[in-house]
Amino acid sequence: MTVMIRPSTDADIPAITAIYGWNVLNGLGTFEEIPPDAAEMARRRQGFLDRGLPYLVAELNGKVVGYCYAGPFRLRAAYRYTVEDSVYVSPEAVGAGVGKALLSALITACEDLGVRQMCAVIGDSGNAASIGLHAALGFEKKGVFPDMGHKFGRWVDLVWMQRPLNGGGATPPDTPGMSLSGV
């Protein structure tokens, strides 16, 4: 089975909503506890696309089985060259290389945009699959924030990982970066 990665479309929203909903209800990769509806997922997706950021899906045999996106790390202007990745895979596609294909494509897309740093904020220090995926693609563990969220009746750590893109901080930026402002 070959995993095909492509930009998401409006038609993918039901599949994206289902995948995320399953992850909200069954995993610690997100600290949301109530799955958003399709309208909310479409609104969120559009917000990333409006910033010119990639929002990709993975298909196996013509079915969307995963998605990923890059979002602003923080809304202050100084962070305009840094993104945070998010990767979600449907339960039936876990172990099929979908996460690796998605994250690899996301890294390339962000490099093409001139991004200099990509970070991952991984829910649960016991999440060996996500930590291993990120490490396999060049992310380094930068720290663990213990007991940052409370889900499924327990405290959950956050694992912070980082990967430089386009030489990271070794040279000045060569693009204007994202337009960011906020509180």
Side-chain angles (χ1 to χ4, degrees):
M1 294 189 295
T2 302
V3 179
M4 184 183 87
I5 307 299
R6 62 171 174 76
S8 65
T9 67
D10 292 342
D12 298 320
I13 294 299
I16 289 168
T17 302
I19 292 165
Y20 186 66
W22 186 91
N23 280 275
V24 167
L25 295 174
N26 297 283
L28 295 168
T30 174
F31 283 7
E32 279 195 79
E33 297 178 303
I34 299 170
D37 64 15
E40 175 60 16
M41 291 300 288
R43 186 195 66 74
R44 292 178 187 185
R45 175 181 162 267
Q46 193 59 52
F48 296 115
L49 295 175
D50 288 348
R51 291 186 185 278
L53 294 169
Y55 203 111
L56 309 173
V57 296
E59 287 186 1
L60 272 177
N61 301 322
K63 180 182 178 190
V64 174
V65 294
Y67 73 99
C68 68
Y69 57 88
F73 174 66
R74 297 284 182 268
L75 294 179
R76 300 278 191 238
Y79 296 116
R80 66 190 172 276
Y81 301 101
T82 303
V83 294
E84 179 180 339
D85 75 80
S86 292
V87 180
Y88 295 97
V89 177
S90 65
E92 70 268 15
V94 170
V98 173
K100 188 171 188 178
L102 280 166
L103 187 53
S104 295
L106 189 66
I107 290 168
T108 298
C110 288
E111 286 178 326
D112 291 348
L113 293 173
V115 172
R116 293 306 184 96
Q117 300 290 339
M118 182 178 280
C119 65
V121 182
I122 300 167
D124 189 16
S125 56
N127 189 342
S130 187
I131 293 166
L133 166 65
H134 284 85
L137 292 176
F139 286 74
E140 292 182 7
K141 188 174 178 180
K142 297 298 181 179
V144 176
F145 288 22
D147 306 327
M148 292 296 287
H150 192 267
K151 188 173 179 183
F152 301 142
R154 70 178 180 95
W155 289 105
V156 183
D157 299 339
L158 288 177
V159 177
W160 290 71
M161 299 183 79
Q162 180 182 0
R163 183 187 196 281
L165 306 177
N166 294 314
T171 58
D174 53 4
T175 68
M178 290 176 279
S179 175
L180 297 176
S181 64
V183 292

